[in-house]
Amino acid sequence: MLSSASDLLKYIDETQLTTEFGGTFEYRHRDWVVYRTQAIEGFALTVKEIAQMLQAFGTELAETELPSDVYSIEHILANRTEKYCQLKKDITSVTKEGGLLLDSFERPSTSLVTEQQTCEKHGDWETVNRLLAQLHEMESAFDGFWEKHQLKMEQYLELLKFEQNFQELKNATDFLMAQQTGVPDTGDNISDVKQRLVELSNIEERSKELLGRSQMVILHGHQLAANHHYALNLICQQCNELRHASDILSEEIRKKLACLSTTHELLVQLQEALDSCDKGAYFLANQQMDKCQSREGAQRALQDVEKFLDSSALDLSFDPQSLQYDFESILTEELKAQIQAVHVKIGNIRDLFENRQSCLKKLADKQVRPVQLVAPRPENPPRSKSPLFSPKHGMDFNSSLKFSFDLTLPGKRTTRKMQTSRKIEVMHDYQEKRNSLQFYISESEDSLDILKGHVIHELVETERIYVEELYTILLGYRSEMENQEISLFLPLTLRNTKNILFGNMPEIYEFHNKVFLGSLESCIGAPERVGYCFLERREDFQMYEKYCQNKPRSDSLWRQFSDSAFFQECQKKLEHKLALDSYLLKPIQRLTKYQLLLKELLKYSIHSERVQELQEALVSMLDLLKSVNDSMHQIAITGYNGDINDLGRILMQGSFSVWIAHKRGPTKMKELARFKPMQRHLFLYERAIVFCKRREEHGDGHDKTPSYSFKHFLKMNAVGITENVKGDNRKFEIWYSGREEVYVVQAQTGDQKAAWLSEIRKILTRQRELIKVEKLKQNSFSDQVVLTPQMNEG
């Protein structure tokens, strides 16, 4: 207890007490009321601003149009989340400020406050408390709205990702479906079927990988559906569509694999039968008939024939009807024809064996007749055997034969054969051997003529079919692009592009129809003249190089418009099973077919007078194929400043690993530290070696095409080679300007290295020869200049 108010100064500082308590603190109640009122009004204004900010943010979330790409959505979601967090911080700050203001009203005041002031204070407390309640309600509503909006945005983002994955897989599935559709489900020979099986197996492997990815996307879609995604129906529909497309692709590949495998099985059986026929014909051709004139020799030969028949499949039944029944599901007209051809060939070979057995049995069963021995007259000695008819020559002649075509036997041959056998019985021993061997040679030569006849007939018939197919395509597609009735289906961007789509096919057709087909038809009676036909038109075949160089542009154009109603209408009118792109491959396929037929014809023309022409024709066609292939790579070179044709004719091209070392030049010494080789694609020209880097052009799927970026080139007149490099037999050196620059080149195989070294040596040898010729010319000219005055003086 204090005795007076002034005693408060002992406990409280005078600056904290008003004047009536002896202090110096100036206090006016009206001023205090005004201050407290301003604080409340400021807080209310702040709450109002917060409400406006929340309203503006909500309007932005509701009215902003969302983009359709994942990156933009993720960016927008991140920005909105950042704004939301900032607004939450502002709300928390304002709430804290209101709480402090509310606490100031709840503190106990001094006794100086009147009852009226207490009432005012209570009203202010209620105002602040009401503002805080409004702020809390706004925050709760804003949190609920944001939670729903964020969920919707996240679901929208998930939907975009799902649709993007779905579309990617759908396109990949459609692409694989188109690829497997492009693989025929049959074939005419084993190599084609094997190649198609390999292609289809590769497609199957990719389809399995694609199926696994599709299952993951479908599982993702089911998870979205289970989480009550707002686009539930769309997701389920796309999952079903993707599953259906994957199932169809797998089923189509399975069916085609089964069909091709069955076709391969049939062709293997046919090939085994053909091989047995070839072995039989080879056996008969190599049986030495000159040793079969005695009973013992004939018996041994007969046993050999029977033994061969027991060990071969020629005696087994070959039933075409049974094969057609077993393989009915995959039979085409071509396969039926092959089955019938094999059946005919087996019958012909059996006839040959039966005739041989009949002949040998007669020789083995004949009775030895007494023959009067007469000394030969010196003035008329027996004729010596020609080397052509010697047994040794006969074996060498037939040792390289392979019978790949049907053997047709005229009906009268058996009669002549029986007559020959009867004549043997009344001849002297040496005459019997000679006639027997002549029969064998004649039989072999007849067989070769038959085989050559088959080849030339196949060449002419396939040439006629080829010409008809070219005519059909030019008439049914190319000409229709100018037909007013059907051109309505033609896209605008496809018009005036026939020269790109078809290339120089009209030129190829004119050449084959008016020139080459007639030349081949004139060779039907003389197959050996075929070589001259090809050599005579060697330059004309260069038009195929132009066609092949245009093929990438044609393929790109076709891929863009293959689904056009115009092409579908043309295909429907022509009643073609295959689309146009399959027929655009015909010239390339025909070009590769020629060398196969020439090889086959060459096998049966070894001793022909014009075999050299056939060999040169085969070499010219193989060179043309190589030239076409090399030129296809050459047109993909980019970045070369100048005319690439100035480097001469392209000779070879291929991929190598290259290390570079420099003898001089400090700016290039960094190349010495390159331990990892550079991958370079080299082009060998007559005048230079060009170094390029292989690149893949940007494109989608099959639209990707390789290109070669030019790096540098070496002139051949300054190039030298070192053929062997330590460490790897695939390496060799190309040095330049007296080993100022050395390129260590590693080939992929030893054969590739040998081929390149051989070609480079040829170029360098030609260069040395040209230099020698020039020096000889210069020396000759100098000698003439010196000798001429002396001769004049004499």
Side-chain angles (χ1 to χ4, degrees):
M1 298 298 293
L2 301 177
S3 58
S4 65
S6 59
D7 291 341
L8 288 173
L9 296 176
K10 297 178 181 180
Y11 302 96
I12 302 174
D13 189 84
E14 63 180 359
T15 59
Q16 302 297 321
L17 294 174
T18 57
T19 54
E20 55 265 34
F21 293 104
T24 60
F25 181 74
E26 295 183 0
Y27 170 74
R28 295 181 180 84
H29 184 65
R30 184 178 299 276
D31 294 341
W32 180 82
V33 171
V34 170
Y35 170 75
R36 296 298 287 259
T37 303
Q38 288 178 347
I40 294 172
E41 289 178 352
F43 178 70
L45 183 61
T46 303
V47 171
K48 183 178 179 181
E49 290 176 352
I50 290 293
Q52 291 175 348
M53 291 171 62
L54 293 180
Q55 182 66 30
F57 185 60
T59 303
E60 178 186 351
L61 297 185
E63 296 181 357
T64 301
E65 185 176 354
L66 297 178
S68 59
D69 62 288
V70 174
Y71 174 77
S72 299
I73 291 296
E74 290 178 341
H75 182 69
I76 290 175
L77 184 59
N79 288 340
R80 291 181 177 180
T81 303
E82 184 179 355
K83 286 184 180 180
Y84 167 76
C85 294
Q86 185 61 43
L87 285 173
K88 286 289 290 184
K89 288 182 180 178
D90 293 343
I91 292 173
T92 302
S93 176
V94 172
T95 302
K96 185 177 180 181
E97 179 185 348
L100 293 175
L101 187 59
L102 194 64
D103 289 343
S104 67
F105 289 122
E106 293 177 349
R107 291 177 188 158
S109 302
T110 59
S111 59
L112 297 176
V113 179
T114 63
E115 181 179 355
Q116 181 180 359
Q117 292 171 347
T118 302
C119 292
E120 291 177 356
K121 181 179 179 181
H122 182 71
D124 293 339
W125 181 87
E126 288 182 350
T127 301
V128 173
N129 191 42
R130 185 176 64 255
L131 290 174
L132 284 174
Q134 292 178 358
L135 187 62
H136 179 70
E137 289 177 0
M138 284 189 296
E139 183 179 11
S140 299
F142 177 64
D143 288 340
F145 173 76
W146 170 254
E147 183 178 353
K148 293 179 181 178
H149 173 75
Q150 187 180 32
L151 176 62
K152 185 175 181 180
M153 286 285 290
E154 289 175 350
Q155 287 186 347
Y156 181 66
L157 182 60
E158 289 292 335
L159 179 62
L160 281 181
K161 291 180 179 179
F162 173 80
E163 288 186 328
Q164 181 177 345
N165 293 332
F166 163 78
Q167 194 59 46
E168 179 182 349
L169 291 174
K170 185 67 168 56
N171 293 339
T173 303
D174 293 342
F175 174 67
L176 286 183
M177 178 66 76
Q179 277 197 324
Q180 74 85 22
T181 303
V183 178
D185 57 358
T186 185
D188 298 335
N189 55 70
I190 293 179
S191 60
D192 287 348
V193 173
K194 281 185 177 179
Q195 180 64 29
R196 289 162 187 174
L197 279 171
V198 171
E199 293 177 7
L200 203 59
S201 297
N202 293 335
I203 295 175
E204 184 184 28
E205 290 297 323
R206 284 184 283 165
S207 70
K208 288 180 180 179
E209 178 187 356
L210 190 64
L211 182 61
R213 292 168 55 195
S214 299
Q215 292 294 338
M216 295 299 296
V217 171
I218 292 173
L219 179 61
H220 182 210
H222 289 169
Q223 291 175 348
L224 294 179
N227 292 332
H228 306 289
H229 196 283
Y230 69 86
L232 175 64
N233 294 333
L234 176 61
I235 293 173
C236 292
Q237 177 186 349
Q238 292 182 343
C239 286
N240 293 334
E241 184 178 350
L242 190 59
R243 183 185 293 106
H244 180 66
S246 300
D247 292 343
I248 290 179
L249 176 62
S250 301
E251 182 65 18
E252 289 297 324
I253 293 177
R254 185 193 64 79
K255 289 181 180 179
K256 190 162 290 187
L257 276 174
C259 192
L260 282 172
S261 299
T262 306
T263 304
H264 181 263
E265 180 183 354
L266 172 61
L267 290 174
V268 167
Q269 292 187 23
L270 296 179
Q271 187 61 46
E272 289 175 351
L274 288 174
D275 292 342
S276 297
C277 293
D278 292 344
K279 290 178 182 178
Y282 184 76
F283 171 81
L284 292 177
N286 284 277
Q287 196 171 32
Q288 298 180 10
M289 294 300 295
D290 59 328
K291 297 182 180 180
C292 301
Q293 305 311 308
S294 64
R295 177 181 295 180
E296 292 77 9
Q299 288 176 347
R300 284 195 298 270
L302 186 60
Q303 290 175 358
D304 292 340
V305 171
E306 293 173 350
K307 184 178 179 180
F308 177 83
L309 289 175
D310 291 339
S311 62
S312 69
L314 289 175
D315 278 345
L316 299 178
S317 59
F318 184 87
D319 187 2
Q321 293 182 352
S322 176
L323 279 178
Q324 291 184 9
Y325 177 78
D326 294 338
F327 295 96
E328 182 181 5
S329 59
I330 54 94
L331 281 184
T332 61
E333 294 300 325
E334 291 79 6
L335 290 176
K336 291 179 181 179
Q338 287 191 38
I339 293 175
Q340 191 62 33
V342 172
H343 178 61
V344 172
K345 185 170 183 178
I346 290 178
N348 292 334
I349 293 295
R350 284 175 180 167
D351 290 341
L352 283 177
F353 271 92
E354 290 174 1
N355 293 335
R356 180 63 59 84
Q357 284 177 308
S358 176
C359 178
L360 292 174
K361 285 178 181 179
K362 289 185 177 183
L363 290 174
D365 295 340
K366 73 176 183 178
Q367 300 296 325
V368 179
R369 298 183 180 181
V371 179
Q372 182 180 3
L373 298 177
V374 179
R377 289 176 289 183
E379 67 271 16
N380 189 19
R383 295 172 61 189
S384 60
K385 298 178 184 178
S386 169
L388 177 62
F389 294 90
S390 67
K392 181 178 179 181
H393 187 83
M395 291 181 66
D396 292 341
F397 177 76
N398 292 283
S399 61
S400 62
L401 293 181
K402 286 187 178 179
F403 295 82
S404 301
F405 292 87
D406 295 343
L407 297 173
T408 57
L409 301 176
K412 295 184 179 180
R413 179 165 299 175
T414 304
T415 305
R416 294 199 302 268
K417 198 170 187 182
M418 297 300 291
Q419 292 172 354
T420 304
S421 299
R422 288 195 293 271
K423 288 181 182 179
I424 290 174
E425 298 178 5
V426 298
M427 288 184 178
H428 293 289
D429 185 56
Y430 78 93
Q431 291 174 325
E432 292 175 350
K433 292 182 179 180
R434 170 152 184 161
N435 285 336
S436 217
L437 190 58
Q438 284 178 337
F439 161 73
Y440 152 66
I441 293 291
S442 175
E443 182 182 68
S444 300
E445 290 175 344
D446 289 345
S447 299
L448 290 177
D449 290 338
I450 293 171
L451 294 172
K452 287 188 288 188
H454 279 295
V455 177
I456 189 62
H457 277 90
E458 180 180 357
L459 178 59
V460 172
E461 287 301 318
T462 53
E463 184 73 13
R464 289 169 180 164
I465 295 173
Y466 175 55
V467 170
E468 291 175 2
E469 287 177 336
L470 292 182
Y471 176 77
T472 302
I473 294 308
L474 294 174
L475 185 66
Y477 283 98
R478 194 176 188 274
S479 298
E480 289 297 311
M481 295 179 74
E482 299 175 354
N483 186 354
Q484 297 296 327
E485 296 180 0
I486 197 173
S487 62
L488 298 175
F489 298 102
L490 193 66
L492 292 176
T493 52
L494 192 60
R495 297 179 180 179
N496 301 321
T497 60
K498 61 183 180 181
N499 291 332
I500 297 177
L501 186 61
F502 297 94
N504 62 331
M505 184 181 284
E507 180 186 7
I508 295 174
Y509 167 74
E510 290 294 321
F511 163 69
H512 285 272
N513 183 47
K514 296 183 178 179
V515 179
F516 196 63
L517 178 58
S519 298
L520 292 180
E521 288 175 339
S522 66
C523 298
I524 291 179
E528 294 83 0
R529 293 187 63 253
V530 168
Y532 176 76
C533 291
F534 280 91
L535 293 175
E536 184 186 23
R537 301 298 175 182
R538 188 181 337 195
E539 299 299 326
D540 293 323
F541 276 96
Q542 295 298 323
M543 66 179 68
Y544 278 87
E545 188 169 334
K546 180 180 178 182
Y547 183 86
C548 293
Q549 289 177 353
N550 178 70
K551 196 68 172 64
R553 299 174 63 202
S554 174
D555 291 343
S556 177
L557 192 65
W558 166 256
R559 284 194 294 268
Q560 295 178 44
F561 302 98
S562 58
D563 296 331
S564 170
F566 170 79
F567 292 121
Q568 295 176 3
E569 185 67 19
C570 291
Q571 183 178 350
K572 182 179 179 182
K573 290 176 65 177
L574 293 172
E575 297 182 355
H576 282 177
K577 294 181 180 179
L578 300 177
L580 173 61
D581 59 332
S582 299
Y583 291 92
L584 293 177
L585 280 173
K586 292 293 182 180
I588 301 175
Q589 294 171 342
R590 187 59 182 168
L591 196 61
T592 58
K593 181 71 173 177
Y594 285 134
Q595 55 96 11
L596 297 176
L597 292 171
L598 285 172
K599 284 181 181 178
E600 197 73 21
L601 187 59
L602 189 60
K603 286 195 299 185
Y604 309 128
S605 306
I606 297 176
H607 294 280
S608 171
E609 295 179 356
R610 311 187 75 162
V611 66
Q612 186 66 29
E613 288 182 353
L614 282 173
Q615 290 175 342
E616 292 179 5
L618 176 59
V619 171
S620 69
M621 294 309 295
L622 291 175
D623 288 343
L624 176 61
L625 287 173
K626 180 179 178 299
S627 176
V628 168
N629 181 56
D630 291 344
S631 65
M632 292 293 290
H633 288 272
Q634 175 183 298
I635 62 175
I637 296 178
T638 60
Y640 180 80
N641 294 326
D643 188 358
I644 199 75
N645 295 319
D646 293 341
L647 302 181
R649 186 169 60 92
I650 183 171
L651 303 175
M652 303 189 78
Q653 53 82 27
S655 296
F656 296 87
S657 299
V658 179
W659 293 263
I660 305 178
H662 297 274
K663 184 176 180 181
R664 294 189 298 272
T667 59
K668 298 181 179 180
M669 288 299 291
K670 63 181 181 180
E671 296 290 347
L672 294 173
R674 185 188 294 273
F675 295 99
K676 185 177 180 181
M678 298 179 293
Q679 299 303 316
R680 291 291 181 262
H681 201 89
L682 272 58
F683 294 84
L684 179 61
Y685 291 84
E686 291 177 318
R687 302 187 186 93
I689 299 178
V690 177
F691 289 73
C692 296
K693 184 174 182 180
R694 181 187 173 99
R695 301 184 184 278
E696 292 290 339
E697 294 290 346
H698 296 291
D700 296 328
H702 54 275
D703 287 337
K704 289 186 177 180
T705 55
S707 65
Y708 304 98
S709 298
F710 171 79
K711 293 300 182 182
H712 62 281
F713 72 98
L714 308 177
K715 294 182 178 179
M716 291 304 297
N717 57 11
V719 162
I721 58 173
T722 303
E723 297 190 5
N724 295 310
V725 177
K726 292 182 179 180
D728 196 330
N729 58 1
R730 295 174 298 167
K731 290 182 180 179
F732 61 96
E733 285 185 351
I734 301 175
W735 40 271
Y736 193 60
S737 298
R739 300 189 69 86
E740 181 178 349
E741 298 178 7
V742 179
Y743 299 83
V744 179
V745 179
Q746 178 179 323
Q748 296 179 357
T749 62
D751 293 339
Q752 185 187 25
K753 171 188 171 181
W756 273 72
L757 288 177
S758 175
E759 202 64 41
I760 293 175
R761 280 196 298 268
K762 291 179 183 178
I763 297 175
L764 299 181
T765 302
R766 284 196 296 268
Q767 289 180 353
R768 286 195 294 268
E769 291 175 352
L770 290 175
I771 292 173
K772 289 181 180 179
V773 171
E774 290 296 329
K775 287 183 177 179
L776 288 174
K777 288 182 179 179
Q778 292 176 2
N779 294 336
S780 176
F781 178 77
S782 299
D783 293 341
Q784 291 177 3
V785 172
V786 173
L787 292 174
T788 300
Q790 296 177 355
M791 294 172 65
N792 290 336
E793 290 176 2

